[in-house]
Amino acid sequence: MNILVINGPNLNFLGIREPEHYGTKTYKDLVKMIDKNANRLGVKAECYQSNHEGEIVDKIQSAYNRFDGIIINPAAYTHTSVAILDAIKAVNIPTIEVHISDPDMRDEFRKVSYIRQACIETVKGLGFDGYIKAMEDMKEYLINR
Ligand code: DQA
């Protein structure tokens, strides 16, 4: 079972940016935690981070026929990107949307997710643990589908 974990803009600044929303652990810590839990669950996880919308679209397209599931935190592009929505629809790979904070409890503009309609689930407000839940739920989904 191959899972691609994509993180969008500014998530490389985890640990530095707005700790009141995103905590004090770094992106490197996040990747370590994902690797550890992938081992525990017996799945393969590849982590990718980019600050660029087109690169994220390219990465999603490159997952076609290579990955069984995608876990994505599109960060700010959640609220703007039809291109990322269309890429997820195009490859038709089961996708789970993750947010470290709960965007629905923050600014009005964060309540809109362009991505959500293409996702089998949204996990939000659980901090880094949200990625673990997404991995567990993805494994379960792929086994049972
Ligand atoms: C985020 C929430 C988004 O609104 C924000 O733009 C981010 C991170 C989260 O993980 O909580 O960059 O996706």
Side-chain angles (χ1 to χ4, degrees), residues 9-11 17 22 73-76 78-79 98-103 106 110:
N10 300 306
L11 291 171
R17 78 181 285 219
Y22 306 116
N73 182 346
T78 307
H79 319 298
V98 175
H99 299 285
I100 296 167
S101 68
D102 182 350
R106 297 174 59 192
R110 290 182 206 275

Side-chain angles (χ1 to χ4, degrees), residues 41-132:
L41 292 167
V43 302
K44 266 194 181 169
E46 178 184 317
C47 292
Y48 175 80
Q49 191 277 328
S50 172
N51 293 324
H52 305 279
E53 185 176 24
E55 285 181 2
I56 294 170
V57 169
D58 287 345
K59 191 69 188 178
I60 292 168
Q61 288 186 3
S62 78
Y64 184 67
N65 275 340
R66 287 187 51 229
F67 285 91
D68 306 300
I70 296 174
I71 291 169
I72 184 166
N73 182 346
Y77 289 137
T78 307
H79 319 298
T80 62
S81 182
V82 178
I84 293 175
L85 167 66
D86 285 350
I88 296 168
K89 284 183 169 174
V91 295
N92 198 25
I93 297 170
T95 298
I96 297 180
E97 175 191 17
V98 175
H99 299 285
I100 296 167
S101 68
D102 182 350
D104 293 328
M105 303 297 281
R106 297 174 59 192
D107 318 271
E108 215 39 47
F109 64 84
R110 290 182 206 275
K111 292 184 179 158
V112 174
S113 168
Y114 280 75
I115 314 303
R116 196 159 300 172
Q117 61 162 278
C119 294
I120 57 171
E121 184 187 348
T122 296
V123 180
K124 57 191 176 72
L126 299 182
F128 280 18
D129 288 350
Y131 292 84
I132 302 175

